[in-house]
Amino acid sequence: MNMERFGSAFAAWAAGGRAAAAAADAARELARSVGLRKIVLVEGDSDRAALEALALRLGRDLGSQGVSVVAMGGATSIGRFLGLLGPRGLDAEPAGLCDAAEEVFFRLALERAGLGPHPDRDALERRGFQVCVADLEDELIRALGPDGVEQVLTAQGDLRSFRTFQKQPAQRERPVGRQLRRFLGTTSGRKIHYGRALVEELDLGRVPQPLLRLLNGL
């Protein structure tokens, strides 16, 4: 619970505004109380939900290990969050997960934060920042396969909605994998829900490599 409170305080601190000073004090105090050692920066709540669910499936309690997964509310916020780390802020090591399209934001932000240039993806991943191709939903859909994802939709009562979605003119010619990826983002909260639900059905021998590398590095 305290790790969740830390994540909320840290996000409020990074957001700035009138509440930032109080949020900074709270984040620093909570960081000490939970033994914070690493912060995993992810784009949104669906990424956080999937990563935390996978950690539990692999027998990892990230909070008890001093790891906080923080949703930034968008990849372009990475610079603000990195700016609050280090000896003058929170003395915690950063790691992260991003979509391929946002890789450039992460590289530039790390360099501006004084964490060194990262000329290619290998260098970025050695720093602890993993890249999904194209995004987390795509990684999970490929790992489960379209049939596996449809089984999850059936169990969640959403298969009929997906079949209706497939009939839309813009979707008819698309491959099923792309249809599924788009469908997961069509309703508020659906990506978060299925971030957990897809991970819970994932064969642990087929964990997407960006997620596995990230967790192994924590």
Side-chain angles (χ1 to χ4, degrees):
M1 183 62 70
N2 278 346
M3 193 62 85
E4 292 180 9
R5 290 173 57 203
F6 163 77
S8 296
F10 184 48
W13 182 9
R18 294 180 179 178
D25 290 341
R28 289 191 179 98
E29 178 59 33
L30 286 164
R32 287 191 291 269
S33 70
V34 299
L36 181 73
R37 62 178 183 83
K38 209 154 196 175
I39 295 177
V40 182
L41 300 171
V42 298
E43 182 176 353
D45 288 325
S46 61
D47 306 286
R48 181 178 63 187
L51 186 59
E52 290 177 341
L54 180 58
L56 288 174
R57 286 206 62 199
L58 293 173
R60 300 280 303 277
D61 182 349
L62 296 181
S64 70
Q65 296 170 0
V67 178
S68 175
V69 183
V70 178
M72 299 183 294
T76 57
S77 300
I78 179 69
R80 295 203 309 272
F81 283 84
L82 287 175
L84 303 182
L85 303 180
R88 290 180 295 179
L90 293 173
D91 192 11
E93 184 180 355
L97 184 72
C98 69
D99 301 344
E102 277 77 47
E103 182 179 347
V104 64
F105 293 117
F106 277 59
R107 287 191 195 180
L108 291 173
L110 284 162
E111 185 168 358
R112 289 168 181 165
L115 297 174
H118 298 84
D120 55 33
R121 184 170 294 178
D122 286 343
L124 188 66
E125 292 177 346
R126 286 195 297 272
R127 167 62 66 179
F129 286 80
Q130 308 300 323
V131 182
C132 292
V133 182
D135 55 24
L136 179 60
E137 288 73 32
D138 175 65
E139 294 279 358
L140 293 174
I141 290 167
R142 285 189 288 110
L144 281 161
D147 290 344
V149 177
E150 289 192 4
Q151 289 177 14
V152 178
L153 292 177
T154 299
Q156 300 295 319
D158 280 332
L159 185 63
R160 180 176 294 180
S161 295
F162 176 59
R163 294 289 184 240
T164 300
F165 176 80
Q166 287 180 298
K167 295 175 184 177
Q168 294 179 4
Q171 302 300 325
R172 289 173 187 164
E173 302 303 319
R174 288 183 173 178
V176 177
R178 290 186 62 190
Q179 292 174 339
L180 287 164
R181 183 179 164 208
R182 182 70 185 93
F183 177 74
L184 295 180
T186 55
T187 301
S188 177
R190 182 176 280 163
K191 285 177 71 173
I192 299 172
H193 176 76
Y194 277 99
R196 296 190 188 95
L198 295 179
V199 162
E200 287 170 358
E201 297 302 321
L202 189 64
D203 180 343
L204 293 182
R206 294 180 57 83
V207 174
Q209 285 301 303
L211 292 179
L212 191 60
R213 288 193 299 266
L214 178 58
L215 286 170
N216 285 342
L218 299 178

